[in-house]
Amino acid sequence: MTYSTIRFAEDGAVATITLNRPDKLNSFTAHMHEELRDAVASVRDGRRARCLVLTGAGRGFCAGQDLSDRVMGEGSQPIDLAHTLSTYYNPLVMALRALEMPVIAAVNGVAAGAGANLALACDIVVAARSASFIQAFCKIGLLPDCGGTYFLPRLVGTARAMGLAMLGDKLSAEQAAEWGLIWKAVDDARLMDETMSLARHFAGQPTRGLALIKKAIQASHDNSLEAQLSLEAELQRQAGRTRDYREGVAAFMGKRPPRFTGC
Ligand code: LHQ
């Protein structure tokens, strides 16, 4: 598939998707969703990638839904937003969460509305110091979607989640890092270097093990301690059967660096 609203690149075992509608701060259109779906599926189904990076072209990361196709005339039928969410946004969030490798959001600029929550759906968020996060939904009469009401209270607690969602204020990358909303804020000029060095690190690690970490941490929010202990045991059984576990132990015992293959 040739893409016009995103760019897709693979460098070794690192895949990068760049949202690419910079004039509109990379806001989502149906077409962009279709291209993203295709690119994420090719990362999932291909055999090469062991880490995915998601970023934005130009000065923004993503300004959420493109509102220009949401303008309703007086007396016109409202668009069914649940349909938009269940067709496009929800499958995207689920696909990123289920991807069996680390997904890094490199937030290069403003991340607003569904754009902010797309970043929060990723496993690790690195943001440029000048970037910001805005739960813009309340300003147009909506509630946070794209997982916002799930991720926000889990990441920063109810009080901050409520404030962010109800006020729609701009949260700086540094404040977001201090609050634990994201992994870290870095100097603007260092964003892609730091992100790519992290991505290359992940791509050389035991990918199956990282995917199982992701699965366990995601499940922990909804599990009792007992259920989580059982899940850890089951996932550890799977991890213990990987070649990378065998290699990790052998390398440690042999006092040499490990050579992980992701299997
Ligand atoms: C945009 C947008 C945009 C179109 C900037 N659309 N053009 C899901 C399901 C279904 C429906 C509804 O929604 C959802 C989820 C959502 O995401 S709802 C929330 C949608 N997003 C927003 O409400 C954010 C709207 N954008 C803004 O508030 C500002 O643009 C921010 C604060 C992000 C950035 O402000 P500035 O840095 O001052 O940039 P700007 O406003 O001048 O934007 C630059 C250009 O991008 C401008 O176009 P123009 O042709 O005038 O240069 C904007 O119109 C365009 N743009 N966001 N969402």
Side-chain angles (χ1 to χ4, degrees):
M1 187 172 185
T2 315
Y3 301 127
S4 59
T5 63
I6 64 169
R7 293 197 304 259
F8 179 61
E10 279 183 308
D11 182 5
V14 176
T16 303
I17 297 176
T18 306
L19 307 177
N20 193 25
R21 301 181 66 237
D23 296 351
K24 299 295 170 192
L25 299 181
N26 305 317
S27 54
F28 284 109
T29 59
H31 188 53
M32 190 162 97
H33 271 294
E34 278 151 18
E35 294 191 344
L36 258 175
R37 182 184 314 177
D38 185 84
V40 173
S42 74
V43 170
R44 183 195 59 212
D45 300 337
R47 301 214 141 258
R48 280 164 58 114
R50 290 167 63 188
C51 179
L52 171 64
V53 173
L54 190 60
T55 189
R59 71 178 179 89
F61 175 71
C62 175
Q65 170 69 32
D66 185 324
L67 295 174
S68 63
D69 69 351
R70 300 280 141 170
V71 182
M72 283 171 285
E74 203 55 47
S76 61
Q77 285 294 318
I79 298 166
D80 182 356
L81 300 188
H83 179 261
T84 311
L85 291 173
S86 54
T87 308
Y88 296 117
Y89 289 90
N90 298 357
L92 173 62
V93 169
M94 295 309 284
L96 292 174
R97 299 270 290 177
L99 212 54
E100 293 185 334
M101 66 186 73
V103 180
I104 307 175
V107 179
N108 52 302
V110 65
N117 296 336
L118 173 72
L120 302 185
C122 297
D123 304 315
I124 302 267
V125 185
V126 182
R129 232 173 276 287
S130 69
S132 56
F133 297 82
I134 311 176
Q135 296 293 323
F137 308 86
C138 57
K139 295 181 180 168
I140 54 170
L142 298 181
L143 67 144
D145 57 26
C146 206
T149 61
Y150 181 92
F151 299 126
L152 287 171
R154 284 170 168 79
L155 289 166
V156 298
T158 307
R160 284 171 171 164
M162 209 61 104
L164 289 171
M166 287 196 165
L167 292 167
D169 286 347
K170 184 184 279 199
L171 187 73
S172 71
E174 280 188 338
Q175 187 80 76
E178 262 173 50
W179 282 10
L181 187 73
I182 65 170
W183 174 238
K184 66 172 170 176
V186 299
D187 289 344
D188 287 26
R190 298 274 318 138
L191 177 69
M192 288 322 286
D193 281 352
E194 290 227 11
T195 300
M196 286 305 169
S197 111
L198 193 58
R200 279 190 295 273
H201 164 78
F202 281 140
Q205 292 300 298
T207 308
R208 289 286 312 137
L210 295 181
L212 294 171
I213 291 174
K214 174 168 172 170
K215 197 169 194 173
I217 290 186
Q218 285 178 9
S220 76
H221 293 302
D222 305 309
N223 269 344
S224 64
L225 174 60
E226 195 177 11
Q228 191 67 15
L229 289 172
S230 301
L231 179 69
E232 286 176 1
E234 172 49 35
L235 299 183
Q236 203 71 299
R237 173 184 292 135
Q238 295 174 32
R241 289 175 177 159
T242 61
R243 254 186 274 159
D244 280 342
Y245 167 61
R246 194 180 292 236
E247 166 64 8
V249 174
F252 177 78
M253 296 310 291
K255 300 191 187 301
R256 62 169 175 80
R259 286 180 298 271
F260 295 121
T261 57
C263 304

